[in-house]
Every structure is written in C-alpha cells, then in structure tokens.
Amino acid sequence: SNATVGASGGWCQGLDIPNELFLALGLVSLVENLLVVAAILKNRNLHSPTYYFICCLAVSDMLVSISNLAEMLFMLLLEHGVLVMRPSLVRHMDSVIDTLICSSVVSSLSFLGVIAVDRYITIFYALRYHSIMTLQRAVVTMASVWLASTVSSTVLITYYHSNTVLLCLIGFFLFMLVLMLVLYIHMFALARHHLHSISRQQKPPTAHRGGILKGAVTLTILLGVFFICWGPFFFHLILIVTCPTNPFCTCFFSYFNLFLI
C-alpha cells in the first residue's frame, strides 16, 4: 500500500516545464505566424476572404505567442527581483494577460470554424461563392469574431470561478469540433463521390483509391491534430467542473503546463 501511494504521489507531482521552453516555443510560433501574415499582406493574389480568414487565424495564434512571452518575461523579472510591483498591480497585470490569452484562444477556435465554413461554401456553392462570401461580409464576420472573443474572454476571466462560464467555454469547443467534423467529412464524401463518378465514366474504369486515401489521411490529420492539441486543455476544464476534489482529477490538474505546451 505504501509503495502504491508513493508511486501515485510521484505521478501526481506533474511535469516540470522550464520557462525557457515556453519562451522558445513562443518565439518560434511568433515568427511562423508573422511570416504567414506578411505573405498574405504582401501578395495581392492572396487578397481574398479565404486568405483574410487564414490571416486572422495567424494573428490569433500570434497573440497567444505574444501573451505567453509577456507572461513568462513578467514572471522571470519578478522572480529575480528585477521588477518590483505591488501585489494588487501584479494581479491586475495577470488578469490582463489572461484575458488576452483567452481572447486569442476563443478567436483561434472561431476562425478555424469560419475557415471550415468558407471551404464548405467554396466546394458546394462554387458558382455562387463570390456572391455569398463578399468582402463586406468577410469583414463583418472577422469584426464579429474579434468582438465576441474580446467580450467573452473578459467575462470568462472575471467570473472564472463560475462553473456556468466554464461550461459555456467547453460547449463552444465541442460545437466547433462537431462543426468541423461534419463539414470536412461531408466535403470528403463529395470528393469521394466525384472520384467514383470519374472512374465509372472512363474506359476502362480506373481506380482512384490513392486520391481517396490521401483525402482520408488529410482529414484524419486535420481533425486529429485539432483534437490532440485542444482536447487535454478542455478535458482539464471538464474535470474542474465535474470532479475538482477527486484524487485522479487532482493528479490530472498537475499537468496543466503540459497542456499549455
């Protein structure tokens, strides 16, 4: 029994992630997303609603990097005594940074959903795409996402102790996951149907298993990476709501920094 408790206690100590790793990943992510934004802004051929949405997604992820870098530098300066601030001001700065991080997270998820919808319209309403997704509607969509993300993140950080607020955030993640799943699977099914139709019309009929397999792999990677990256963080929130004092949940909470990575 003592050995079991000791092993469990060691497992529950979590994983010590050095601040330097957070800083390095933040810098890499910042540079990568800056390159995406610069490429879209510089190339006139990419000045379309689809690429504007991708640009907004890059800006959202870039804000995560900037917020992460600011928080790490802020903590390091405080720990080494370089920066001296009153506890109330430290809490205020922490709330501001958390709000910025939360806003970028919500906007990032939102733009992933918007991009999925935009691609869906491109495929299923190709002839009417330019009349459906006009530049004005794209601008309204982008502005609405940023406004909603800012307001919702402010409410979330202000009332983060409320389970209702956490449930809303969890529900939002699940909604985006289901939306992307349904849209991309439908798009893959259409592509598969077209490949079969082309195969039947050719003489002799040719198999397009390679194209179907490539589409399936792409779809699996897209949704798999999305779920793997976001799943543990939101599973953490689910456990906060459902079992905050359970020993297993408490152990899971100790790995929060890993989920941030």
Side-chain angles (χ1 to χ4, degrees):
S1 298
N2 291 336
T4 304
V5 172
S8 177
W11 184 79
C12 291
Q13 289 178 358
L15 190 63
D16 186 21
I17 308 270
N19 291 332
E20 291 77 10
L21 180 57
F22 277 104
L23 289 172
L25 289 176
L27 285 172
V28 170
S29 178
L30 177 62
V31 172
E32 288 178 342
N33 287 293
L34 274 174
L35 289 174
V36 173
V37 173
I40 293 174
L41 294 180
K42 186 177 180 180
N43 193 337
R44 291 182 178 274
N45 294 327
L46 303 182
H47 291 182
S48 64
T50 298
Y51 287 100
Y52 287 151
F53 294 146
I54 294 175
C55 183
C56 285
L57 177 62
V59 171
S60 299
D61 294 337
M62 192 166 59
L63 286 177
V64 176
S65 305
I66 293 173
S67 304
N68 179 48
L69 289 172
E71 188 172 36
M72 285 296 106
L73 290 173
F74 188 62
M75 290 172 59
L76 289 173
L77 290 175
L78 287 175
E79 288 176 4
H80 291 82
V82 178
L83 187 63
V84 179
M85 300 175 65
R86 291 178 299 175
S88 59
L89 187 57
V90 171
R91 287 193 297 269
H92 179 70
M93 288 292 296
D94 186 57
S95 297
V96 171
I97 293 175
D98 286 344
T99 302
L100 184 59
I101 292 175
C102 185
S103 176
S104 55
V105 166
V106 173
S107 61
S108 180
L109 286 171
S110 299
F111 281 115
L112 281 170
V114 169
I115 290 170
V117 173
D118 179 74
R119 288 176 176 175
Y120 186 85
I121 297 173
T122 303
I123 291 178
F124 284 90
Y125 302 95
L127 298 178
R128 297 171 50 202
Y129 174 78
H130 293 291
S131 61
I132 295 175
M133 188 56 68
T134 62
L135 182 59
Q136 183 179 2
R137 288 177 178 171
V139 171
V140 171
T141 300
M142 291 183 288
S144 300
V145 169
W146 285 116
L147 179 61
S149 301
T150 304
V151 172
S152 60
S153 61
T154 303
V155 173
L156 178 64
I157 297 302
T158 304
Y159 301 101
Y160 70 96
H161 286 298
S162 173
N163 285 344
T164 303
V165 174
L166 293 179
L167 285 172
C168 289
L169 185 59
I170 294 168
F172 174 70
F173 166 73
L174 293 176
F175 170 76
M176 284 299 169
L177 178 62
V178 172
L179 176 68
M180 293 176 62
L181 192 66
V182 170
L183 293 182
Y184 281 118
I185 287 179
H186 195 191
M187 285 185 274
F188 170 70
L190 178 66
R192 185 171 178 271
H193 175 73
H194 281 323
L195 285 174
H196 280 303
S197 298
I198 294 172
S199 177
R200 285 195 300 267
Q201 292 174 5
Q202 291 177 343
K203 296 182 180 180
T206 57
H208 292 274
R209 292 181 181 177
I212 295 174
L213 182 61
K214 183 179 178 181
V217 170
T218 302
L219 181 63
T220 303
I221 292 175
L222 179 69
L223 297 177
V225 169
F226 175 81
F227 184 76
I228 290 172
C229 289
W230 288 108
F233 176 78
F234 282 92
F235 185 58
H236 181 99
L237 297 184
I238 292 173
L239 294 184
I240 289 177
V241 176
T242 56
C243 59
T245 59
N246 184 278
F248 169 78
C249 299
T250 305
C251 286
F252 196 83
F253 295 155
S254 63
Y255 288 86
F256 182 70
N257 280 340
L258 180 62
F259 307 149
L260 289 180
I261 288 290

